[in-house]
C-alpha cells in the first residue's frame, strides 16, 4: 500500500468516480467533471493506492495559516478497518503544523464519532467553551 500527500493533479475522473461510488457518495458522482474540479481544487489531497487501484482519499480546504477544513475522507470498503483512514488523516493533517482550527462536517453515525474523537476531534456541543456550528446545504 502506498500513501502520498500533495496535489491531486494526477488523479483521473474515472478513478475518483470509482472510489466515491464504492463508498456510496452518489451526490459527488452525479457530476464527474465537478468532482474532478473539486478534488483538484483542494488545498491538499492524501491518497492511498493498492497497486493500480485508488483505495483511499482524504482532502482539505485551507488558507494554509489559520484554518483547515477536512472535506472528504474515503476508504474503499475492502480496505476499511485496516488503519488506512487513520494513516491518511495523520499524514494529511500533520502537514498543517500548528494550524489552530481543524474543522470537519460529517455524517451522524456512531462509528463516525468514534473514529474522529479517537483522532482528537471534539463535537462542537461537547467543546469547552461551547461552540456553534452552522451549515446551509443546497
Amino acid at each position: 500500500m502506498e500513501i502520498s500527500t500533495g496535489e491531486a493533479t494526477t488523479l483521473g475522473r474515472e478513478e475518483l468516480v470509482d472510489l466515491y461510488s464504492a463508498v456510496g457518495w452518489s451526490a459527488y458522482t452525479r457530476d464527474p467533471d465537478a468532482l474532478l474540479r473539486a478534488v483538484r481544487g483542494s488545498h491538499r489531497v492524501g491518497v492511498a493506492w493498492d497497486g493500480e487501484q485508488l483505495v483511499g482519499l482524504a482532502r482539505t480546504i485551507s488558507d494554509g495559516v489559520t484554518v483547515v477544513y477536512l472535506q472528504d475522507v474515503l476508504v474503499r470498503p475492502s480496505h476499511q478497518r485496516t488503519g488506512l483512514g487513520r494513516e491518511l488523516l495523520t499524514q494529511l493533517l500533520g502537514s498543517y503544523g500548528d494550524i489552530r482550527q481543524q474543522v470537519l462536517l460529517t455524517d451522524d453515525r456512531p462509528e463516525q464519532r468514534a473514529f474522529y474523537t479517537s483522532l482528537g476531534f471534539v463535537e462542537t456541543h461537547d467543546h469547552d467553551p461551547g461552540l456553534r456550528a452552522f451549515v446551509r446545504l443546497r
Side-chain angles (χ1 to χ4, degrees):
M1 189 100 39
E2 178 186 338
I3 296 176
S4 61
T5 59
E7 295 185 27
T9 57
T10 60
L11 291 172
R13 179 182 304 102
E14 293 77 23
E15 57 206 2
L16 287 171
V17 168
D18 182 55
L19 177 61
Y20 279 72
S21 294
V23 298
W25 288 16
S26 59
Y28 287 86
T29 59
R30 283 186 208 121
D31 187 345
D33 291 329
L35 173 60
L36 183 63
R37 286 193 314 274
V39 171
R40 288 187 175 174
S42 300
H43 190 252
R44 292 200 178 112
V45 177
V47 293
W49 298 91
D50 189 354
E52 298 286 318
Q53 186 178 47
L54 181 63
V55 295
L57 180 144
R59 69 185 185 104
T60 58
I61 299 167
S62 179
D63 62 13
V65 180
T66 63
V67 63
V68 57
Y69 291 89
L70 182 56
Q71 178 58 33
D72 294 339
V73 180
L74 304 91
V75 175
R76 190 173 291 278
S78 60
H79 290 70
Q80 290 176 2
R81 301 227 174 268
T82 64
L84 179 58
R86 175 178 298 281
E87 185 60 29
L88 274 169
L89 289 183
T90 299
Q91 285 190 29
L92 188 61
L93 293 176
S95 68
Y96 285 97
D98 293 331
I99 288 183
R100 181 176 164 267
Q101 292 182 64
Q102 297 183 355
V103 181
L104 100 109
L105 180 67
T106 191
D107 299 331
D108 184 20
R109 295 192 333 237
E111 63 270 21
Q112 298 288 25
R113 180 179 171 99
F115 177 69
Y116 289 111
T117 57
S118 76
L119 290 165
F121 284 87
V122 176
E123 286 197 59
T124 56
H125 61 77
D126 292 338
H127 194 274
D128 185 25
L131 296 172
R132 288 201 173 139
F134 298 90
V135 62
R136 187 166 88 178
L137 300 174
R138 297 179 191 228

